[in-house]
Amino acid sequence: MLAEETPAVPWTTWALRVTATLFLLMTLAQGLLAGLFVTGDVDLLPVHSAVGGILSVVALVQLVFAVMEFRAHRRAGRPATWQLSTLSTLVLVMTAGQIGLGMARVVAPHVFIGVTTAALAMLVLLVVLTDARPAPADAPALAGEAR
């Protein structure tokens, strides 16, 4: 019996998986760095700041890949939604806001939005891992059988 061929995962999907994972891990690291800073290790503030700057670049790259993924789905005739692009835009806006709040030393909203950003990063990764899959070749046939 021959193995059933499945469509290859597009490179944009892999790029989204990588950037979403990287963003989530870096966001969680930010929480750790902030906690260590608050407990007295003041030398970690420049590291926290540097990671925040890198996070903004990762968020921008993630948004570009999300838009490319949307366009690739449309070109291939697969259902495409703006869900990943919208979430990625929100991630970028929140990250930019975080940088502004952090530089202004407005701590309470900075911490709140940081926690919210980490939760959003988890949601983005979940969506990337579940929704950014190629549809099986026989999906229309199966949908017709279910009626």
Side-chain angles (χ1 to χ4, degrees):
M1 177 179 263
L2 295 174
E4 185 178 315
E5 288 188 35
T6 58
V9 176
W11 70 269
T12 53
T13 302
W14 282 108
L16 269 171
R17 289 175 180 173
V18 169
T19 55
T21 302
L22 183 61
F23 188 86
L24 174 60
L25 292 174
M26 289 178 69
T27 303
L28 294 174
Q30 283 292 76
L32 176 64
L33 290 169
L36 291 171
F37 168 73
V38 169
T39 59
D41 195 349
V42 294
D43 293 336
L44 289 178
L45 185 59
V47 177
H48 181 76
S49 179
V51 172
I54 296 168
L55 264 173
S56 65
V57 173
V58 173
L60 179 61
V61 170
Q62 179 178 306
L63 175 58
V64 168
F65 286 141
V67 171
M68 292 173 74
E69 175 83 353
F70 174 79
R71 294 183 69 187
H73 274 259
R74 287 187 53 158
R75 276 194 304 273
R78 293 191 304 251
T81 65
W82 282 97
Q83 187 176 17
L84 282 172
S85 298
T86 303
L87 289 172
S88 296
T89 301
L90 187 56
V91 162
L92 180 61
V93 168
M94 290 176 73
T95 303
Q98 279 293 88
I99 291 171
L101 289 170
M103 293 295 181
R105 305 287 194 256
V106 183
V107 178
H110 182 73
V111 171
F112 173 76
I113 295 173
V115 172
T116 306
T117 302
L120 183 62
M122 289 179 207
L123 176 63
V124 169
L125 184 58
L126 178 69
V127 170
V128 167
L129 293 177
T130 57
D131 288 348
R133 293 175 288 180
D138 58 346
L142 292 176
E145 293 174 8
R147 291 182 188 166

